[in-house]
Amino acid sequence: MTTPFTTKTLEEALTAKLMLNFGKVPEEATDQEMMKASALVLRDVMAIRGVEANRKARREQKKQVHYLSLEFLMGRSLMKNAYNLNVLPELKEALGNLGFKAADIFELEPDAGLGNGGLGRLAACYLDSMTSLEIPATGYSICYELGIFKQKIVEGQQVEMPDDWKNLGAAWLLPKPEEAQEVLFGGTLREFWNNGHLHIVNENATRVQAIPCDMVVAGYDTDHVNTLRLWDARATKPVDMALFSRGEYLKAAEETAMAATIAKILYPEDNHYEGKSLRLKQQYFFVSATVQSIAKKHLETYGTLKNFHEKNVIQINDTHPALVVPELMRIFIDEAGMKWDEAWEITTQSVAYTNHTVLAEALERWPQSLMETLLPRIWQIIQEISDRWQRKVEEFYHDGEKLQRMAIIWGGEVRMANLCIAGGMAVNGVSGLHSDILKKDVFKDACGMEPHKFQNVTNGIDHRRWLSEINPGLDSLIRDLTGGDDYLKNPPALRKLEAYADDKAVQAQLAAIKRENKENFARYIKRAQGVVLNPDAIFDVQVKRLHEYKRQLLNALHIISLYQKLQDDPNAITQPHTFLFGAKAAPGYAVAKRIIRLINSLADDIAHNPICKDKLQVVFLENYRVSLAEKLMPASEVSQQISTAGKEASGTGNMKFMMNGALTVGTLDGANVEMHEVLGDENMFLFGLHADEVQQLKREGYVPQRLYNRDPELRRCLDALRTGFRDGVTYEDLYQRLLFGMGGSAADEYLLLADFQSYCQAEERMVKTYADSEQWNRMSLCNIARSDIFAADRAVADYANNIWHVEHR
Ligand code: 26Q
């Protein structure tokens, strides 16, 4: 790779940028201005490479990957791009020479929080790997004005604040108004014959302009760059002012209103479907603009759409972009004049669908009435797809129940997952267990008919960001032990670490690195939240979106039981133990918010009880986000991955912890299964029911009250929810939910009580192991060494080889 800068040329570029953009010399510039100038300087380099990458793509006519996702949780880019461009040391030095502190400049950059959690962060990690593996790929999403809300904790409760990230974050974006697309909503269809062809036009539609705002991303150690294309919405300008003053006035106002709302905000529900019409507008807006822009580029290069599937593959991140299927059909038929069968052949060979959840409440089902009025032509096409699919299923199975389960339109709703299965060439789950559940359970019937479509690609994370960039101490140890930086492009090189598992000196180095990272994190949290963490304590961490199936409440119940033991016997805890939580709750998810409040009540009670001093501590980390995770992962020692088996599709936080040497306390769920396959029982702390046992217990009839009656320790914990804590708030509602269920949900839906004792024992084993630091560090090193299986480079190579059929580095 060519290095774009030396320290000196970087200093010159920064100085010139400050002058051009802000009319200032470095001495006068603020940190914010310097942050923007740094972004612009790197952006220029990447943009130039982008032009070359586009030229090359056209010349070589390689197949292009298009990754469509309603979410890209990019986080910060300055340090990441500098790292990938191989100029991070130069940038730090140049900033220093110009009188700035690099760390302060990096810290100023807002997270691009255009995602909720796992699914959005996965898209960001894959974009990095696709680029680093030199795959010609483009990501597509919406340029939300407001990303995932900022969380404040006020009197123990979550309060949401708007995340106005674009003030500073837009420095990375290149608007491309000349590549704008027009997206049509509503209107009435008019059909007419011309030259023996039936034409369909939409009249009186509400039109919205989609403007690309491109974020160029650099790959690691390559000149190749890719683009994340974020669509912004604008009203179409009324061209003719005379028309405007006559009948078009209302239409124009409607279009302005639509344009103003469509890219306004990211829906903050994670793993939960909300049937809001604005959400459907967002989905079609982004899908239509994307498909039009792909088709246009393809036509420019090849002059025909007949070979579209040979030169393009569209990967859809869950069902959220499912409308690509009818939209491709619309373009092939209405705009390119193809016949249905040919259009269908090309469409179904171009689209691949990744499923990310088996939770029934997260499966998208849109009311047909909404589709019909908002997207009349798309609705017609969906009906035709549905009819033909129904005939195919009927011919294959002759089974009414299967026909119902596999239907695309049923009971007045459009089932997006079934549309994706019918309209795509591949369906994949995101871990071995999850993909098995899809094949054997959720999509059993479809798999019986078209088994070739169903695959697994276990998730992965960007190990350059989540290890090398954020944990420099560990990075340098790995380089020392594995003979250089090979592992950055070749993750299996991490396995060489295993040779040192029993090496006392290496164990001590590893421990010292963790200790320093803990101290750094403690300093940060003191500054950010005013809380003092004890670096001698075990850092036992659960960070992820708040959801009942993820069982943060089980973690809290265990802490309550420890606390009660400590109250009975002040010597019950010898090893100081700090429990860290971080979680955002969807604003409308009342139970999730109550659980946040419970954790804060518990934390406050423990903080005020002198018997807990230097023994037990609970801290709720405010506003958990990508940039906080980057500080936390290197400092973590215990990773809590305790979802009810069968519910967490994969998890990716679990991988970040493992890569940074934390040991997992977890259930056999999601990618924890693969983790266990490489680590064995001896290198993690497994507990709880397995997925099949969960199903069996539910079938047999699960009665949590029996456990309550039988187990005094558990009973005492649960009773503490009713009594509450120092702040006088009672958690009777949570108690009721666990024992009796509420509002249609079963008692203890997620089997916390069933797994309680097993969980407590796993934590006990973990604490015992921690006392044996040799053993602990051996396990920790093993975890790091075998985390290569979770590198996004591996996952993306799997997609490239088995689904996309594209070459890669
Ligand atoms: C759908 C319709 C309307 C509004 C919102 C939504 C919506 C938004 C986000 C539905 C689901 C999501 C996010 C799901 C998600 O993050 N799933 C996680 O994906 C990860 C990456 O594969 C997995 O590791 C996690 O196990 C899975 O929970």
Side-chain angles (χ1 to χ4, degrees):
M1 187 192 71
T2 48
T3 312
F5 292 111
T6 63
T7 305
K8 185 156 171 298
T9 59
L10 198 45
E11 268 173 55
E12 289 162 3
L14 290 170
T15 307
K17 206 42 113 180
L18 281 176
M19 184 52 77
L20 272 170
N21 273 267
F22 308 108
K24 289 186 176 176
V25 293
E27 291 74 35
E28 302 164 331
T30 63
D31 279 5
Q32 290 202 350
E33 287 162 341
M34 190 46 130
M35 197 295 282
K36 281 190 194 171
S38 308
L40 292 173
V41 164
L42 297 191
R43 192 190 76 175
D44 287 347
V45 175
M46 296 187 296
I48 292 165
R49 291 187 181 183
V51 173
E52 183 45 41
N54 286 337
R55 255 195 231 133
K56 197 169 157 222
R58 208 164 273 214
R59 198 169 56 234
E60 297 180 357
Q61 306 205 334
K62 284 194 188 151
K63 195 178 194 180
Q64 303 278 316
V65 176
H66 307 279
Y67 196 94
L68 272 64
S69 177
L70 262 284
E71 310 191 5
F72 273 86
L73 192 45
M74 299 294 283
R76 290 176 175 156
S77 292
L78 182 52
M79 201 175 163
K80 174 68 187 175
N81 284 329
Y83 178 95
N84 275 357
L85 293 168
N86 226 334
V87 293
L88 185 53
E90 288 81 0
L91 178 62
K92 287 180 180 170
E93 208 184 329
L95 289 171
N97 293 347
L98 295 174
F100 293 82
K101 270 207 194 122
D104 294 352
I105 301 294
F106 294 154
E107 198 57 30
L108 258 180
E109 185 183 359
D111 283 31
L114 310 183
N116 275 286
L119 168 145
R121 184 55 230 174
L122 189 78
C125 285
Y126 284 3
L127 195 54
D128 179 87
S129 280
M130 290 189 289
T131 315
S132 300
L133 296 181
E134 299 179 348
I135 295 171
T138 308
Y140 301 86
S141 193
I142 293 173
C143 195
Y144 301 107
E145 197 175 312
L146 303 173
I148 186 69
F149 63 84
K150 287 186 188 157
Q151 179 192 56
K152 286 231 171 326
I153 301 296
V154 179
E155 291 171 10
Q157 300 185 77
Q158 167 176 298
V159 175
E160 301 91 25
M161 309 284 275
D163 168 46
D164 185 6
W165 69 285
K166 269 164 106 182
N167 263 337
L168 287 165
W172 295 108
L173 302 176
L174 278 167
K176 298 260 177 73
E178 69 283 3
E179 292 182 48
Q181 305 292 337
E182 198 169 65
V183 180
L184 273 60
F185 295 96
T188 42
L189 301 179
R190 192 168 64 83
E191 305 185 355
F192 63 94
W193 287 90
N194 189 18
N195 284 334
H197 284 287
L198 179 65
H199 292 257
I200 298 184
V201 289
N202 188 340
E203 293 178 336
N204 307 312
T206 305
R207 291 158 188 269
V208 180
Q209 290 285 115
I211 317 279
C213 287
D214 287 355
M215 185 187 279
V216 189
V217 299
Y220 175 69
D221 196 31
T222 169
D223 287 339
H224 184 64
V225 297
N226 281 322
T227 299
L228 172 58
R229 172 155 283 196
L230 300 172
W231 295 101
D232 198 1
R234 289 266 176 287
T236 34
K237 290 251 157 47
V239 218
D240 184 339
M241 284 313 286
L243 258 185
F244 183 76
S245 60
R246 289 205 305 272
E248 302 292 292
Y249 179 74
L250 268 177
K251 188 98 259 160
E254 212 178 296
E255 291 182 348
T256 311
M258 178 97 105
T261 53
I262 224 161
K264 190 79 186 176
I265 189 161
L266 165 80
Y267 273 86
E269 283 81 28
D270 169 282
N271 267 305
H272 189 84
Y273 157 73
E274 287 275 331
K276 296 276 166 26
S277 74
L278 177 59
R279 169 79 179 187
L280 188 62
K281 286 177 194 156
Q282 290 185 333
Q283 293 184 352
Y284 185 66
F285 167 75
F286 130 86
V287 161
S288 180
T290 300
V291 175
Q292 289 183 63
S293 95
I294 298 170
K296 182 160 182 279
K297 268 208 188 112
H298 183 91
L299 268 176
E300 283 167 10
T301 313
Y302 301 99
T304 173
L305 291 175
K306 290 186 187 292
N307 65 341
F308 184 88
H309 55 296
E310 288 160 18
K311 297 296 176 183
N312 298 281
V313 54
I314 296 178
Q315 185 69 46
I316 60 175
N317 207 16
D318 216 297
T319 55
H320 316 156
L323 293 172
V324 286
V325 173
E327 179 68 2
L328 276 170
M329 291 297 285
R330 185 186 72 78
I331 288 176
F332 292 151
I333 295 171
D334 296 358
E335 293 184 12
M338 285 185 204
K339 292 271 173 358
W340 181 279
D341 289 331
E342 188 185 11
W344 185 247
E345 193 59 30
I346 298 173
T347 299
T348 51
Q349 287 185 58
S350 302
V351 177
Y353 153 55
T354 305
N355 172 285
H356 296 265
T357 187
V358 298
L359 300 182
E361 68 268 28
L363 294 179
E364 283 191 290
R365 295 162 300 145
W366 289 98
Q368 88 175 45
S369 55
L370 184 59
M371 288 268 181
E372 213 169 335
T373 47
L374 191 64
L375 310 168
R377 179 60 183 141
I378 292 299
W379 167 241
Q380 280 186 338
I381 294 170
I382 292 175
Q383 286 178 95
E384 185 65 27
I385 294 172
S386 172
D387 288 351
R388 288 171 184 247
W389 178 249
Q390 181 145 352
R391 267 176 263 148
K392 181 172 171 172
V393 173
E394 175 59 33
E395 264 166 43
F396 187 85
Y397 277 124
H398 312 288
D399 177 332
E401 274 180 30
K402 287 195 168 62
L403 200 64
Q404 173 175 343
R405 280 199 296 268
M406 288 171 72
I408 293 171
I409 302 173
W410 194 266
E413 292 179 323
V414 183
R415 297 176 181 164
M416 305 311 261
N418 288 350
L419 176 61
C420 293
I421 295 169
M425 56 167 169
V427 180
N428 77 281
V430 289
S431 73
L433 175 65
H434 171 60
S435 296
D436 281 345
I437 292 173
L438 293 183
K439 283 183 259 196
K440 292 185 188 139
D441 189 7
V442 187
F443 301 142
K444 184 178 76 203
D445 306 318
C447 186
M449 190 168 86
E450 303 184 312
H452 56 277
K453 282 190 183 176
F454 288 80
Q455 300 200 38
N456 171 249
V457 180
T458 299
N459 281 169
I461 57 169
D462 170 4
H463 73 297
R464 289 169 288 269
R465 179 185 285 259
W466 291 107
L467 197 175
S468 172
E469 187 191 321
I470 65 171
N471 198 341
L474 184 55
D475 172 69
S476 109
L477 180 66
I478 294 169
R479 286 167 194 250
D480 288 350
L481 299 178
T482 65
D485 62 3
D486 181 32
Y487 88 99
L488 293 173
K489 284 189 356 198
N490 174 34
L494 286 170
R495 296 278 174 141
K496 292 187 197 160
L497 291 173
E498 265 182 67
Y500 301 90
D502 294 309
D503 184 319
K504 298 266 160 62
V506 169
Q507 288 172 2
Q509 276 175 291
L510 189 62
I513 291 162
K514 187 61 81 179
R515 173 75 194 196
E516 195 190 331
N517 292 340
K518 286 169 75 179
E519 285 169 2
N520 286 341
F521 186 73
R523 262 192 298 279
Y524 173 77
I525 286 302
K526 177 78 200 6
R527 255 186 292 132
Q529 258 176 260
V531 176
V532 178
L533 297 178
N534 173 10
D536 291 327
I538 308 178
F539 281 13
D540 187 331
V541 188
Q542 187 173 21
V543 285
K544 48 182 79 250
R545 283 297 290 254
L546 211 136
H547 207 293
E548 286 163 282
Y549 84 81
K550 295 176 187 281
R551 301 201 294 192
Q552 282 94 349
L553 184 53
L554 176 60
N555 190 344
L557 286 175
H558 166 253
I559 298 169
I560 291 172
S561 102
L562 272 186
Y563 187 22
Q564 289 170 339
K565 279 189 188 137
L566 194 62
Q567 283 165 320
D568 294 346
D569 169 12
N571 297 317
I573 292 180
T574 48
Q575 167 59 52
H577 203 155
T578 291
F579 293 89
L580 299 168
F581 288 87
K584 284 177 181 173
Y589 190 175
V591 180
K593 289 187 148 182
R594 289 287 292 160
I595 294 169
I596 290 181
R597 191 165 193 196
L598 165 70
I599 295 165
N600 281 303
S601 290
L602 178 60
D604 164 77
D605 198 304
I606 288 174
H608 285 87
N609 194 331
I611 65 162
C612 297
K613 189 171 182 317
D614 292 331
K615 294 213 162 86
L616 184 60
Q617 184 181 30
V618 177
V619 176
F620 190 92
L621 304 169
E622 194 173 73
N623 200 27
Y624 179 62
R625 60 197 184 283
V626 173
S627 59
L628 183 55
E630 289 172 349
K631 298 182 174 76
L632 175 62
M633 291 299 162
S636 295
E637 294 177 295
V638 177
S639 160
Q640 295 282 341
Q641 307 301 335
I642 62 178
S643 52
T644 314
K647 299 291 180 194
E648 188 70 272
S650 161
T652 42
N654 47 358
M655 304 169 184
K656 293 163 197 165
F657 282 106
M658 180 192 191
M659 229 171 235
N660 284 279
L663 303 189
T664 300
V665 174
T667 48
L668 270 178
D669 197 16
N672 299 352
V673 176
E674 278 94 332
M675 191 182 286
H676 179 246
E677 276 165 15
V678 295
L679 291 178
D681 287 337
E682 64 278 19
N683 287 303
M684 60 192 293
F685 305 97
L686 278 188
F687 74 94
L689 297 170
H690 298 184
D692 52 342
E693 294 167 335
V694 166
Q695 288 211 330
Q696 199 189 328
L697 182 54
K698 289 230 161 171
R699 265 200 308 273
E700 286 167 357
Y702 170 57
V703 187
Q705 277 173 81
R706 287 195 203 130
L707 293 163
Y708 175 88
N709 293 333
R710 207 189 304 153
D711 178 348
E713 188 186 342
L714 173 62
R715 187 162 61 240
R716 189 172 166 205
C717 276
L718 290 165
D719 289 343
L721 294 179
R722 317 183 74 178
T723 328
F725 303 91
R726 205 180 75 105
D727 58 12
V729 182
T730 163
Y731 294 93
E732 177 77 35
D733 53 337
L734 296 179
Y735 170 92
Q736 290 288 333
R737 267 185 104 73
L738 290 175
L739 284 173
F740 310 107
M742 260 156 76
S745 83
D748 192 18
E749 175 98 56
Y750 296 103
L751 306 184
L752 282 66
L753 276 58
D755 277 345
F756 177 76
Q757 280 303 340
S758 173
Y759 179 52
C760 292
Q761 287 159 17
E763 276 281 314
E764 259 173 50
R765 291 200 304 278
M766 181 277 289
V767 171
K768 250 206 193 110
T769 309
Y770 194 82
D772 180 352
S773 66
E774 227 172 82
Q775 162 93 347
W776 186 273
N777 289 310
R778 184 187 311 117
M779 289 169 72
S780 174
L781 199 75
C782 243
N783 270 260
I784 300 163
R786 299 176 194 175
S787 67
D788 64 312
I789 61 161
F790 293 133
D793 287 359
R794 186 274 311 149
V796 165
D798 287 352
Y799 278 98
N801 297 333
N802 306 327
I803 296 179
W804 304 336
H805 306 293
V806 297
E807 289 167 19
H808 59 85
R809 180 158 79 170

